């Protein structure tokens, strides 16, 4: 997505950028998956986050809640069943 992020111990430090680019990425766990979805909403272009079963189980109707806020999201089940 073009972010400038480094880690320091248990913290991730990110530098602000004017824009990021959407891309296909994988969600290794619940928090990372939710963060990737949110980053994808802020990115230019389309972002596909795969492996979102953690997010689906951990956050009830995550895609529906984002859509209610005006986000253009398609849940994995409606996108060919890939999660």
């Amino acid at each position: 997505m073009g972010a400038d992020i480094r880690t320091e111990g248990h913290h991730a430090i990110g530098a602000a950028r004017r824009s990021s680019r959407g891309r296909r990425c994988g969600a290794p766990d619940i928090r990372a998956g939710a963060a990737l979805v949110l980053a994808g909403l802020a990115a230019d272009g389309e972002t596909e986050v795969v492996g979102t079963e953690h997010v689906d189980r951990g956050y009830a109707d995550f895609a529906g809640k984002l859509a209610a806020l005006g986000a253009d999201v398609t849940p994995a089940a409606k996108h060919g069943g890939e999660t």
Side-chain angles (χ1 to χ4, degrees):
M1 295 180 134
D4 181 18
I5 300 173
R6 69 183 191 288
T7 58
E8 292 181 6
H10 295 289
H11 303 280
I13 311 297
R17 295 187 65 120
R18 289 196 179 268
S19 65
S20 59
R21 297 170 302 281
R23 61 172 292 191
R24 187 174 197 266
C25 50
D29 61 49
I30 185 171
R31 287 177 288 242
L36 286 168
V37 170
L38 295 176
L41 290 172
D44 292 331
E46 184 173 301
T47 298
E48 179 183 4
V49 181
V50 297
T52 58
E53 58 275 354
H54 305 297
V55 178
D56 295 337
R57 283 195 313 265
Y59 298 112
D61 194 26
F62 188 58
K65 290 175 182 173
L66 292 173
L69 294 171
D72 182 10
V73 294
T74 303
K78 294 181 182 178
H79 195 39
E82 185 175 337
T83 58

